[in-house]
Amino acid sequence: MRRYSLSSTAVAGIMGFASTIAYWGGAAEQDPKPVRPPILKEKLLLEGDSYARSIVFSPDGRLLAIAADSGTITIWDVPAGKEKRKIQAGGKVEAMAWQPNGRRLVGAMYEEKKIRCWDLESGKEVFSVETKAKIPKLAYNPDGKEFAVAGFGTATIEFRDAEKGIVRRTIHPHRSPVTAIAFFPGGKTLASAAIDQTIKISDVSSDVVVITLKGHEMPAQAICISASGKLLASASLDKKVKIWDTKSGELLRTITLSHNAKKVAFCPDEKW
């Protein structure tokens, strides 16, 4: 019998504007060629007529946070296949990010224009602060001491204290609203995409743009950095996913899709 490891291979998805969350396991651990179709593990039905606005796995992959349109966040225990905790967020959460140690969850509220943080052991709110970013994007620094906030309505990227949510500093790599952000391993550099169709890699302490990537015909909706920090993937409204060399800025590959790509991610070994 083949065994599957959800903690390392799970993938979750929102089934359109629906109340169903599905998550899949990847290829079998013994299979040297992980190219088989994903194995559907379970479907989670949200309460009432609510639908999911945002989902995100914990750093260790064992928990799945689901933000529903009803204003609740459900913390789902993936290996156990049951709900662990439900948090009343107090509004519609558009984006979420886990603290690297997995103890806290930060959520961005679009309508309320607030950033809220919850302790996942107690379920209590740690802080609630205002933000000018519309449809906010969130990213935790790997050191766990701060998180970045960006979004429509401003070209500024804020770095906020992880304990109180206050702004520690800002950078301004773009002149147009930011559409996606991602930290590099180590947390000293940050990649950001904007409405101007560029992707920039910046030093977070000096606000100096190290390199600018150009090639998309429309703004990138998502970007991610490989585990080594050597590669960057960008998914754009132009129906293309591009792979870049982060040191030279060279475009290594372009993948053309039949639809817009809203999310993109590397496998840990960077083969996919």
Side-chain angles (χ1 to χ4, degrees):
M1 179 181 294
R2 291 184 173 183
R3 298 169 56 192
Y4 298 89
S5 174
L6 268 180
S7 62
S8 60
T9 62
V11 178
I14 300 173
M15 310 292 279
F17 288 101
S19 57
T20 301
I21 304 295
Y23 61 84
W24 299 264
E29 291 176 346
Q30 296 93 327
D31 193 338
K33 297 179 180 180
V35 295
R36 297 171 180 266
I39 294 87
L40 181 63
K41 291 293 182 179
E42 190 160 355
K43 290 184 179 180
L44 315 179
L45 186 64
L46 301 182
E47 295 179 355
D49 298 324
S50 184
Y51 65 88
R53 303 186 73 89
S54 178
I55 58 175
V56 61
F57 275 105
S58 62
D60 63 6
R62 299 183 65 84
L63 299 176
L64 178 66
I66 307 164
D69 191 56
S70 61
T72 62
I73 297 175
T74 300
I75 306 299
W76 188 260
D77 187 317
V78 176
K82 63 181 181 180
E83 179 182 312
K84 182 176 182 179
R85 180 174 295 282
K86 191 178 292 291
I87 298 172
Q88 296 301 322
K92 298 175 181 180
V93 178
E94 294 289 340
M96 296 184 290
W98 288 82
Q99 193 173 27
N101 62 17
R103 296 175 182 174
R104 293 180 178 179
L105 183 73
V106 171
M109 328 287 286
Y110 171 54
E111 294 179 347
E112 292 80 5
K113 296 183 180 180
K114 290 183 179 294
I115 303 293
R116 287 177 173 150
C117 177
W118 300 274
D119 179 275
L120 295 176
E121 186 64 32
S122 65
K124 295 182 179 180
E125 185 179 279
V126 178
F127 61 75
S128 176
V129 293
E130 295 184 353
T131 178
K132 295 180 180 179
K134 298 179 180 179
I135 315 179
K137 307 296 181 180
L138 301 172
Y140 254 106
N141 190 313
D143 66 9
K145 297 179 181 180
E146 65 180 5
F147 61 92
V149 182
F152 283 83
T154 175
T156 299
I157 300 175
E158 300 175 337
F159 295 93
R160 291 178 175 263
D161 179 79
E163 293 298 320
K164 298 181 179 180
I166 59 176
V167 178
R168 301 173 67 177
R169 64 186 186 283
T170 61
I171 62 173
H172 310 80
H174 303 274
R175 294 183 179 180
S176 59
V178 178
T179 57
I181 52 176
F183 273 102
F184 276 73
K188 295 182 179 181
T189 49
L190 181 87
S192 58
I195 292 294
D196 62 11
Q197 303 174 19
T198 65
I199 299 167
K200 299 192 177 186
I201 299 174
S202 306
D203 182 296
V204 300
S205 60
S206 65
D207 194 8
V208 173
V209 175
V210 179
I211 196 166
T212 298
L213 308 177
K214 296 181 179 180
H216 280 298
E217 297 173 3
M218 294 187 74
Q221 297 186 98
I223 54 177
C224 71
I225 312 298
S226 65
S228 67
K230 296 179 180 179
L231 301 174
L232 182 150
S234 56
S236 170
L237 287 169
D238 61 14
K239 300 181 181 180
K240 291 181 174 63
V241 173
K242 294 181 181 291
I243 310 297
W244 312 80
D245 182 306
T246 58
K247 186 175 182 179
S248 67
E250 179 185 358
L251 176 60
L252 303 177
R253 185 180 181 187
T254 297
I255 304 167
T256 301
L257 307 174
S258 60
H259 55 279
N260 294 333
K262 295 184 178 181
K263 299 293 181 181
V264 64
F266 282 105
C267 285
D269 61 10
E270 301 183 15
K271 292 181 180 180
W272 301 91

